[in-house]
């Protein structure tokens, strides 16, 4: 628990709330219910072991913050997540209701580990991301979304066998759901397996340049790009196949493009939309 004010609010509350939920307790020394609520909040913060942060704000000394967050009665507790107020309550709630309030805003440990993994990937630290996701699965083995994240990371690290094994550990319900993400990961695994037997992209590019009609060479190049997560060159190469011979390889060009669309749907919708238009134009 820490005390904050207007000058340090952004650092103590908003910034920290991007890491863990923050409970901002607006109180005053003369407020009897505040003195009842405060110790209970401190107890629950200690029990949470870092999953929440409690920050106390003296309302008498911080009228501007009270006005900004609509604090009219004391005590008022405002919960912040990702820099935004997401929930609040007024008055000294019983401990059971306090626990329920905290449970609503605190992600489970597996989800917290997943957030750590996403941040690590954004910072170019795949090993840290892999370890965080594995830790999340140790906490919640049935968390299929975390397992799919792990498959994605393992593929990015070139560990095809481990990625394939993780896919087999999905719950039967998820595995049979027809989830587009699973199909996309299976496509990437197949591409990576094929790419492991292929020469570098530079050799394949030279082969395509020398034999423009060799669609297998183009498909090999697309698989190399896909295994390397070079999605736009892969899409262009696959589109070339579709334009030259839609039926080649049992419609491999179009099917592989659709799998890439599924893989990028959440992270890069603009790219997906642009290439969908190009594929539609090629087919019509």
């Amino acid at each position: 628990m820490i005390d904050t004010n207007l000058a340090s609010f952004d650092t103590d509350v908003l910034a920290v709330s991007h890491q863990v939920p923050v409970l901002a307790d607006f109180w005053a020394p003369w407020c009897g219910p505040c003195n009842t609520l405060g110790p209970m909040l401190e107890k629950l913060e200690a029990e949470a072991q870092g999953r929440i942060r409690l920050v106390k704000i003296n309302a008498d000394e911080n009228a501007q913050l009270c006005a900004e967050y609509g604090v009219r009665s004391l005590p008022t507790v405002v919960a912040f997540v990702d820099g935004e107020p997401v929930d609040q309550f007024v008055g000294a709630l019983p401990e059971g209701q306090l626990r329920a309030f905290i449970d609503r805003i605190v992600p489970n440990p597996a989800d917290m580990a997943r957030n750590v993994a996403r941040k690590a990937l954004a910072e170019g630290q795949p090993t840290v991301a892999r370890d965080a996701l594995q830790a999340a699965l140790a906490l919640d083995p049935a968390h299929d979304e975390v397992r799919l994240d792990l498959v994605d990371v393992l593929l990015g690290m070139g560990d095809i066998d481990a990625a394939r094994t993780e896919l087999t550990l999905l719950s039967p319900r998820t595995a049979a759901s027809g989830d587009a993400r699973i199909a996309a990961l299976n496509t990437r695994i197949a591409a990576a397996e094929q790419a492991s037997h292929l020469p570098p992209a530079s050799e394949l590019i030279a082969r395509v340049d020398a034999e423009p009609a060799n669609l297998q060479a183009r498909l090999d190049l697309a698989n190399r790009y896909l295994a390397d997560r070079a999605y736009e060159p892969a899409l262009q190469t696959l589109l070339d196949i579709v334009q030259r011979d839609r039926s080649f390889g049992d419609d491999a060009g179009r099917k592989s493009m659709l799998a890439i669309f599924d893989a990028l749907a959440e992270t890069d919708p603009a790219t997906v939309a642009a290439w969908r238009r190009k594929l539609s134009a090629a087919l019509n």
Side-chain angles (χ1 to χ4, degrees), residues 4 8-18 22 24 55 57 80 83:
T4 196
S8 57
F9 183 84
D10 285 0
T11 299
D12 294 339
V13 176
L14 300 185
V16 173
S17 73
H18 287 279
V22 175
V55 176
I57 301 168
F80 289 82

Side-chain angles (χ1 to χ4, degrees), residues 121-162:
L121 283 178
E123 295 173 352
Q125 298 177 306
T127 302
V128 174
R130 180 200 62 197
D131 292 347
L133 293 169
Q134 289 174 335
L137 287 171
L139 294 167
D140 187 358
H143 203 313
D144 285 340
E145 287 300 315
V146 170
R147 197 171 299 280
L148 290 173
D149 286 351
L150 178 57
V151 173
D152 192 16
V153 171
L154 290 170
L155 281 173
M157 297 176 70
D159 196 341
I160 304 170
D161 291 340

Side-chain angles (χ1 to χ4, degrees), residues 42-87:
E42 292 176 26
K43 172 188 171 183
L44 295 179
E45 180 192 32
E47 288 181 3
Q49 298 183 330
R51 292 194 296 141
I52 60 169
R53 180 73 58 81
L54 174 63
V55 176
K56 296 181 71 67
I57 301 168
N58 187 324
D60 289 346
E61 299 172 357
N62 292 280
Q64 184 173 333
L65 285 174
C66 290
E68 183 172 351
Y69 292 103
V71 176
R72 296 180 177 85
S73 300
L74 298 179
T76 292
V77 174
V78 183
F80 289 82
V81 175
D82 292 334
E84 299 291 338
V86 297
D87 204 350

Side-chain angles (χ1 to χ4, degrees), residues 62 70 98 107 125 135 137 148 178 182 186 204 239 242 269 271:
N62 292 280
L98 285 178
Q125 298 177 306
L137 287 171
L148 290 173
I182 297 175
N186 277 316
L204 293 169
L239 183 64
V242 171
T271 293

Side-chain angles (χ1 to χ4, degrees), residues 1-274:
M1 183 275 293
I2 62 171
D3 292 294
T4 196
N5 53 37
L6 180 61
S8 57
F9 183 84
D10 285 0
T11 299
D12 294 339
V13 176
L14 300 185
V16 173
S17 73
H18 287 279
Q19 307 301 320
V20 296
V22 175
L23 301 182
D25 176 20
F26 289 83
W27 73 291
W30 49 262
C31 168
C34 296
N35 295 323
T36 299
L37 178 65
M40 286 196 292
L41 288 173
E42 292 176 26
K43 172 188 171 183
L44 295 179
E45 180 192 32
E47 288 181 3
Q49 298 183 330
R51 292 194 296 141
I52 60 169
R53 180 73 58 81
L54 174 63
V55 176
K56 296 181 71 67
I57 301 168
N58 187 324
D60 289 346
E61 299 172 357
N62 292 280
Q64 184 173 333
L65 285 174
C66 290
E68 183 172 351
Y69 292 103
V71 176
R72 296 180 177 85
S73 300
L74 298 179
T76 292
V77 174
V78 183
F80 289 82
V81 175
D82 292 334
E84 299 291 338
V86 297
D87 204 350
Q88 70 177 61
F89 67 84
V90 177
L93 299 182
E95 185 173 320
Q97 292 183 34
L98 285 178
R99 290 183 183 277
F101 179 85
I102 290 171
D103 287 344
R104 288 200 303 271
I105 63 168
V106 176
N108 67 43
D111 286 332
M112 293 179 70
R114 192 181 187 196
N115 289 336
V116 169
R118 288 176 170 173
K119 184 173 183 290
L121 283 178
E123 295 173 352
Q125 298 177 306
T127 302
V128 174
R130 180 200 62 197
D131 292 347
L133 293 169
Q134 289 174 335
L137 287 171
L139 294 167
D140 187 358
H143 203 313
D144 285 340
E145 287 300 315
V146 170
R147 197 171 299 280
L148 290 173
D149 286 351
L150 178 57
V151 173
D152 192 16
V153 171
L154 290 170
L155 281 173
M157 297 176 70
D159 196 341
I160 304 170
D161 291 340
R164 191 189 305 106
T165 297
E166 290 296 336
L167 275 183
T168 68
L169 298 177
L170 291 171
S171 67
R173 180 176 180 179
T174 298
S177 66
D179 189 323
R181 189 179 180 195
I182 297 175
L185 289 170
N186 277 316
T187 296
R188 283 183 58 201
I189 287 173
E193 289 172 336
Q194 294 183 42
S196 66
H197 304 293
L198 293 173
S202 57
E203 275 188 46
L204 293 169
I205 291 171
R207 187 180 302 170
V208 169
D209 290 342
E211 306 172 56
N214 186 340
L215 298 187
Q216 184 58 53
R218 290 182 187 273
L219 185 58
D220 289 345
L221 177 58
N223 282 326
R224 166 56 69 189
Y225 283 141
L226 183 53
D228 294 340
R229 304 182 78 170
Y231 292 118
E232 295 228 34
L235 286 165
Q236 182 59 65
T237 305
L238 292 166
L239 183 64
D240 291 341
I241 294 172
V242 171
Q243 292 171 326
R244 288 171 179 269
D245 184 355
R246 161 77 184 273
S247 65
F248 176 77
D250 189 27
D251 202 12
R254 183 186 67 86
K255 290 178 179 178
S256 295
M257 289 186 75
L258 294 179
I260 296 175
F261 295 161
D262 290 336
L264 298 180
E266 290 188 11
T267 58
D268 196 353
T271 293
V272 171

